[in-house]
Amino acid sequence: SYGVYECAIYDAAIENGLNEEQSKIAVAISKHETGNYTSPLFKNSNNVGGLYNSSANKFFSYGTIDDGIDAYIQNLKKGYFDKGLNTIEDIQVKYAPLYADNDPTGLNSNWVSGVTYFYNQMA
């Protein structure tokens, strides 16, 4: 069964014009990025997608979970899906690039397999 966060993210994705497949990818990315909604960034900053402000060299913080979800879905829609990046592999190249400055320990190398794991749980 889906939890409250999965449902809220999925519903927001649909409301913003994403299709079912894209909406499921959005949920899978958020689950991976937040350690299944357990990360300090999620709990303390309402950041459901690990959104990073590269110009300020810090992660975004949102006042409410709804604000965090809205920002996350808009980012995925405008920056990825609207540009034809529709698979987990295509999204990874931009969303969680290998050797990124904000990934000193190389966690992005696990991004595709991690997101795919959560995606496959939604069958």
Side-chain angles (χ1 to χ4, degrees):
S1 71
Y2 297 122
V4 62
Y5 302 120
E6 291 97 330
C7 290
I9 290 165
Y10 183 89
D11 290 347
I14 294 292
E15 288 166 14
N16 279 276
L18 300 186
N19 65 33
E20 182 179 359
E21 175 84 5
Q22 293 168 331
S23 299
K24 288 168 73 174
I25 289 173
V27 171
I29 291 170
S30 83
K31 289 182 84 168
H32 176 75
E33 286 285 341
T34 62
N36 208 8
Y37 310 114
T38 62
S39 72
L41 188 63
F42 171 75
K43 290 179 175 178
N44 301 330
S45 300
N46 295 307
N47 188 328
V48 301
L51 298 185
Y52 188 74
N53 182 344
S54 54
S55 60
N57 292 314
K58 64 179 186 171
F59 288 93
F60 284 102
S61 182
Y62 302 97
T64 67
I65 195 70
D66 287 337
D67 290 343
I69 290 170
D70 288 343
Y72 170 65
I73 294 301
Q74 285 301 311
N75 177 59
L76 270 182
K77 179 174 174 16
K78 293 177 181 164
Y80 299 84
F81 295 127
D82 286 354
K83 295 185 175 177
L85 301 173
N86 285 301
T87 67
I88 292 169
E89 292 79 8
D90 286 347
I91 292 166
Q92 183 266 332
V93 173
K94 181 178 173 190
Y95 200 100
L98 299 178
Y99 315 113
D101 289 344
N102 68 337
D103 183 33
T105 59
L107 288 175
N108 287 355
S109 63
N110 302 318
W111 198 87
V112 169
S113 60
V115 173
T116 301
Y117 169 80
F118 287 115
Y119 180 84
N120 288 338
Q121 286 188 323
M122 289 184 279

